[in-house]
Amino acid sequence: MQDTNTAINPTIKRKKRRHRPSFATQFKNNWPLLLFVIPGAIWMIFFFYIPILANVVAFQDFHFSADGFLASLQSSSWVGFKNFEFLFSSNAAWIITRNTLLYNLGFIVLNLIISVFFAVVMSQLRNKRLIKLYQTSMLLPYFLSWVVISYFVYAFISPNQGLINSLITGSGGKGISWYNAPQFWPFILLFIGTWKSIGYNSILYFASAMGVDPTLYEAAEIDGANKWQQIKHVTIPALVPLMTLMTILAIGNIFRADFGLFYQVPQNSGSLYNVTSVLDTYIFNGLTSTGDIGMSSAAALYQSFVGFALLMISNAVVRKIDPDSALF
């Protein structure tokens, strides 16, 4: 039997390879669909793939000249990895890396748990108007700019006229200078960042939960499962592929911080740099204060390279465990 299988299997594989459509055949059969890809492909080429060649600036002592950007590239001296050495030798390297990683890890965990929780709760509601009300109210912060949110935060924690300080002083306490008190800001930033993104993520999970086959709940109910058991054994397993996908994408962006959150909300207060300075704000502050384009480009390239590496590693790990849940 083994000899027969070994003799048959190569033949089967050869047949599968022989009958696989060629690239030209696939292109001929799917060219109407590929036409829709052309605008996006052109956009990617001109606004991503061509500009990405300018990463060479990270390895130069770049200075603008009056002859334009291309002439500046040719005239700027090559310094190799000195821009990266300057980045890692600075005292801020450890602080910005630590803050970027820890904040993003916090956002990944909080967004995953809270978003799934709200999605499961909404999936159990039967009043459609109530569901729409919850979705609209939760999604509203997602469309607010960080500038607007920074003024909301300032209205609460303003040292002089803030709502929280007014309540504290009204109770006989002493007001807090929030923008000079770094011990509070990790909690403030985690809360605001999660609050802003929770609506969008929960709607994604809610849509996935509503796609679960109702007969699975009926079968579980017939077997005597209560609501919690139905959620645990039916709803949550159905959300696992999307949870995995969202986590992989979040890990790929773990070295990217939301610039508006860490710059606008703390109002770029110097006394808060140890807890609010992340890679994005460090790059911006370095560029505006020193004008060193090469060093800022090196920091941005380091950020992108590590994010890409983490994305590939996390996807490979997931593909080993559950290939169907992998991103690619």
Side-chain angles (χ1 to χ4, degrees), residues 27 29 38 68 71 91 97 112 131 134 143 149 165 176 179 186 201 215 240 267 270 277-278 286 292:
F27 181 83
N29 294 335
I38 292 177
N91 295 328
T97 303
L112 180 64
I131 294 175
Y134 287 158
F143 294 102
I149 293 177
N165 273 1
I176 300 172
Y179 291 95
N201 293 328
T215 58
V240 167
Q267 298 186 359
S277 183
V278 291
D292 193 337

Side-chain angles (χ1 to χ4, degrees), residues 235-280:
T235 308
I236 299 297
L239 296 179
V240 167
L242 181 60
M243 293 164 61
T244 306
L245 177 63
M246 296 291 286
T247 303
I248 293 174
L249 294 175
I251 291 175
N253 289 320
I254 201 169
F255 260 66
R256 294 186 180 277
D258 198 321
F259 176 80
L261 172 62
F262 293 97
Y263 185 84
Q264 295 289 349
V265 175
Q267 298 186 359
N268 201 29
S269 176
S271 59
L272 302 177
Y273 275 178
N274 283 340
V275 295
T276 61
S277 183
V278 291
L279 277 166
D280 296 79

Side-chain angles (χ1 to χ4, degrees), residues 13 46 62 74 88 90 124 152-153 176 185-186 199 214 241 270 311 317:
K13 291 181 180 179
F46 281 96
F62 185 82
Q74 296 176 353
F88 292 111
S90 64
Q124 298 301 314
F152 286 165
V153 175
I176 300 172
W185 280 92
L311 174 64
V317 172

Side-chain angles (χ1 to χ4, degrees), residues 184-199:
F184 298 108
W185 280 92
F187 305 100
I188 294 174
L189 293 173
L190 284 173
F191 173 78
I192 296 173
T194 304
W195 167 75
K196 189 176 188 298
S197 60
I198 201 70

Side-chain angles (χ1 to χ4, degrees), residues 21-312:
S22 63
F23 174 78
T25 304
Q26 293 181 7
F27 181 83
K28 182 179 179 180
N29 294 335
N30 299 302
W31 69 267
L33 298 176
L34 294 175
L35 289 177
F36 291 98
V37 181
I38 292 177
I42 295 174
W43 184 91
M44 289 291 291
I45 291 172
F46 281 96
F47 293 97
F48 182 77
Y49 290 109
I50 293 178
I52 206 174
L53 299 176
N55 281 326
V56 70
V57 172
F59 305 95
Q60 291 182 320
D61 184 15
F62 185 82
H63 296 284
F64 272 114
S65 65
D67 297 327
F69 178 73
L70 294 178
S72 301
L73 284 178
Q74 296 176 353
S75 60
S76 298
S77 59
W78 184 268
V79 296
F81 290 95
K82 287 187 178 180
N83 289 325
F84 295 90
E85 293 175 3
F86 177 79
L87 170 65
F88 292 111
S89 62
S90 64
N91 295 328
W94 160 246
I95 295 175
I96 61 177
T97 303
R98 177 202 64 188
N99 290 345
T100 305
L101 284 174
L102 292 181
Y103 277 121
N104 280 317
L105 285 173
F107 289 136
I108 290 173
V109 174
L110 290 176
N111 280 326
L112 180 64
I113 295 174
I114 301 176
S115 298
V116 171
F117 172 77
F118 279 110
V120 171
V121 170
M122 287 191 294
S123 68
Q124 298 301 314
L125 297 176
R126 294 295 176 263
N127 191 326
K128 293 185 178 181
R129 292 185 178 179
L130 194 59
I131 294 175
K132 291 181 179 180
L133 176 64
Y134 287 158
Q135 288 178 337
T136 304
S137 59
M138 292 173 61
L139 194 61
L140 179 62
Y142 181 78
F143 294 102
L144 296 177
S145 71
W146 283 116
V147 176
V148 175
I149 293 177
S150 67
Y151 283 109
F152 286 165
V153 175
Y154 184 78
F156 279 93
I157 63 175
S158 171
N160 299 323
Q161 299 177 345
L163 177 61
I164 296 179
N165 273 1
S166 298
L167 294 174
I168 293 174
T169 54
S171 303
K174 183 179 179 181
I176 300 172
S177 181
W178 295 95
Y179 291 95
N180 294 305
Q183 66 270 22
F184 298 108
W185 280 92
F187 305 100
I188 294 174
L189 293 173
L190 284 173
F191 173 78
I192 296 173
T194 304
W195 167 75
K196 189 176 188 298
S197 60
I198 201 70
Y200 177 79
N201 293 328
S202 63
I203 287 179
L204 293 178
Y205 290 118
F206 172 73
S208 181
M210 295 304 293
V212 178
D213 190 351
T215 58
L216 297 177
Y217 293 105
E218 295 174 1
E221 189 173 358
I222 293 173
D223 290 338
N226 55 31
K227 282 294 183 182
W228 164 243
Q229 291 173 330
Q230 293 177 31
I231 292 172
K232 182 180 178 182
H233 298 288
V234 178
T235 308
I236 299 297
L239 296 179
V240 167
L242 181 60
M243 293 164 61
T244 306
L245 177 63
M246 296 291 286
T247 303
I248 293 174
L249 294 175
I251 291 175
N253 289 320
I254 201 169
F255 260 66
R256 294 186 180 277
D258 198 321
F259 176 80
L261 172 62
F262 293 97
Y263 185 84
Q264 295 289 349
V265 175
Q267 298 186 359
N268 201 29
S269 176
S271 59
L272 302 177
Y273 275 178
N274 283 340
V275 295
T276 61
S277 183
V278 291
L279 277 166
D280 296 79
T281 58
Y282 178 79
I283 294 169
F284 178 80
N285 288 327
L287 183 60
T288 54
S289 61
T290 65
D292 193 337
I293 298 176
M295 186 272 292
S296 302
S297 300
L301 183 59
Y302 158 72
Q303 183 184 35
S304 300
F305 178 78
V306 175
F308 173 75
L310 290 174
L311 174 64
M312 299 299 292

